[in-house]
Amino acid sequence: MARLTIQGVSKSFGASFAVRDFSLDVEDGELVCLLGPSGSGKSTLLRMIGGFEKPTGGAILIDAKDVTSLPPEKRPTGMVFQSHALWTHMDVFNNIAFGLKLRRLPRQEIRERVENALALVGLANHGKRMTTQLSGGQQQRVALARSLVLEPKILLLDEPFASLDQHLRERLREEVRDIQQRLGITTLFVTHGQDEALALADRIVVMRDGATEQVAAPDQIYREPTTEFVAGFIGSMNFVPTDVSGKISQHAAFALPVSVADGKVVLAFRPEALSLRPAQHPAPATVHRSIDFGTHKLVDIDLADGTRLKAMTSPDSNWTKGMAVEPIVRAYYAFRDNQLVHQSVPSSEMNDNRVFAHV
Ligand SMILES: Nc1ncnc2c1ncn2[C@@H]1O[C@H](COP(=O)(O)OP(=O)(O)OP(=O)(O)O)[C@@H](O)[C@H]1O
Ligand SMILES: [Mg+2]
């Protein structure tokens, strides 16, 4: 268990910044997901925490001890890299034992710890296999076991399951969550998958251009995005640019109260906050198509100006192409210059509305 403190860390390569002035406190035993588009600095940040990259500014502290200039092997961190690199000329046992041998532990202890680590990731009795004889998912588990066997205080996972199919990924991430909680390891988990972050994290950090865009618990990130970028990045969101005049949005289909000075805003609402009502032609919108997901339907509608929006409806709704509809927004946000300037309802009410109250 350890507490991680990142203080104003930056990393530049030549003239461009990969990470800029990044600060974060991670509590003992907490699991934090780093989420952000490709190139937003996630791997660079993780590599600096693990000691594989030197910051150009700022400090990294583990349990209040400054580790900024320590090499990886002197840090209480374990890292699973984005492209996992197992040694193909060694069997599974020796891949996992490698770090322990470097530390010159007694043979019997090495054997016990490797066997424990293998059992932990569900690969007991696989020690003698060559890594080339393992499936992709099993190789990922060996990479995980290789980090866990060193008993790191802080575990750094860089998209460890990116190459796996969805089912395996879901299973492995549940296992990681399980192991992480049982051992109480402070963990930073980089992922591209917002579902993964929402399912795993105690807190989510959304990164953009090397900096923090928002840090919050998953439900808060989903229900109270503080920027337009986060609103669009996490979950599905409809965006409608429009003008506000006299505290009302001046859009042909959406005249909504927006308590902000006159000027441009972007209205945003989730598919589950958009209901459809039958209308007569000429209508504010027409149905483009409806996709049945079993638990719900997702209906694409086109506004008169061509803007396409998504509405989530009940599984027994029956909207078909060409139908005239009136879209009704039940909960919405308004952004100006990327910043949240208006939110229609408190998050708790929005939560209740997610059951299909008005389909
Ligand atoms: N060694 C390097 N030399 C120069 N530029 C680098 C180096 N490593 C990373 N970068 C740049 O820093 C930025 C951040 O890269 P990083 O690998 O941290 O992104 P990422 O968020 O992990 O992306 P991805 O999701 O694609 O893995 C990118 O613009 C990248 O090109
Ligand atoms: Mg990366």
Side-chain angles (χ1 to χ4, degrees), residues 121-195:
V121 298
L123 285 178
N125 306 320
H126 283 65
K128 290 211 161 57
R129 293 263 199 108
M130 295 306 283
T131 55
T132 48
Q133 297 170 319
L134 298 176
S135 72
Q138 289 168 332
Q139 291 180 28
Q140 299 280 20
R141 289 171 204 222
V142 173
L144 185 61
R146 199 170 57 175
S147 292
L148 290 173
V149 80
L150 298 172
E151 297 176 358
K153 288 182 174 173
I154 296 178
L155 187 59
L156 306 168
L157 303 169
D158 195 352
E159 303 200 46
F161 312 135
S163 59
L164 306 179
D165 73 56
Q166 193 184 339
H167 286 290
L168 194 53
R169 199 160 62 217
E170 278 172 20
R171 222 177 67 211
L172 280 182
R173 81 176 178 220
E174 291 309 318
E175 283 173 22
V176 163
R177 184 63 171 151
D178 225 50
I179 293 169
Q180 184 266 339
Q181 291 200 323
R182 247 184 303 151
L183 305 183
I185 311 176
T186 308
T187 302
L188 249 72
F189 192 115
V190 171
T191 175
H192 258 109
Q194 35 163 299
D195 291 351

Side-chain angles (χ1 to χ4, degrees), residues 220-241:
Q220 197 181 352
I221 287 263
Y222 189 84
R223 298 206 174 83
E224 296 171 29
T226 54
T227 70
E228 186 181 339
F229 177 83
V230 172
F233 197 74
I234 309 281
S236 179
M237 188 71 90
N238 296 298
F239 289 107
V240 177

